[in-house]
Amino acid sequence: MSKIHHLSDVQTTSIGENTTIWQYAVILRGAIIGKNCNINCHTFVENDVVIGDNVTVKSGVHLWDGITIENDVFIGPSVVFTNDLKPRSKKYNEFEKTVVKKGASLGANSTILAGVTIGEYAMTGTASNIT
């Protein structure tokens, strides 16, 4: 059974067993989250996001539409993902697809440019810019 903190806003029903979602997390209806994940406080997960099994998402991470996180990934605190290479207010482009492959670890405060694929078991240093 999953553990969802009562101060979180979890709209999806697609959550695997033994996943923990902490306070102040917001997870939209279309998101898919695997089993045995740990989604920390102060996180946001949009609709078109897939999170695999055994994933840790630390505090301050926002996962936008078009992001896929495979199994066994660690996302450090305050990692920044983007999904639009030409953002403008009130003009919505098709979002880029970003994939973080199995076993990768993303260091705290890394910034991930929209449309990249981070390879299996890759590791980014703290405050890296991944282009």
Side-chain angles (χ1 to χ4, degrees):
M1 186 166 107
S2 295
K3 294 176 247 165
I4 300 174
H5 195 282
H6 73 278
L7 293 177
S8 63
D9 178 3
V10 178
Q11 299 169 19
T12 187
T13 57
S14 298
I15 300 173
E17 290 185 24
N18 298 316
T19 286
T20 301
I21 299 172
W22 293 96
Q23 64 271 36
Y24 313 120
V26 176
I27 302 173
L28 299 185
R29 180 169 281 110
I32 299 170
I33 300 174
K35 63 185 179 192
N36 199 37
C37 293
N38 189 19
I39 312 297
N40 281 214
C41 61
H42 300 285
T43 53
F44 179 78
V45 181
E46 238 175 352
N47 284 297
D48 182 23
V49 173
V50 176
I51 299 173
D53 299 335
N54 306 308
V55 171
T56 297
V57 179
K58 298 302 264 180
S59 297
V61 174
H62 304 103
L63 298 174
W64 308 111
D65 285 337
I67 296 173
T68 299
I69 308 296
E70 293 187 355
N71 297 341
D72 306 312
V73 168
F74 174 85
I75 302 174
S78 300
V79 167
V80 174
F81 286 87
T82 63
N83 68 349
D84 190 342
L85 295 173
K86 299 177 184 174
R88 295 285 184 227
S89 181
K90 305 295 182 185
K91 294 183 181 180
Y92 302 103
N93 299 312
E94 185 172 326
F95 296 120
E96 300 290 325
K97 302 296 183 193
T98 298
V99 178
V100 181
K101 295 285 196 173
K102 179 180 179 173
S105 291
L106 308 182
N109 288 312
S110 293
T111 298
I112 315 303
L113 186 68
V116 302
T117 297
I118 297 174
E120 287 191 10
Y121 301 100
M123 183 175 290
T124 70
T126 299
S128 298
N129 287 312
I130 309 303
T131 60

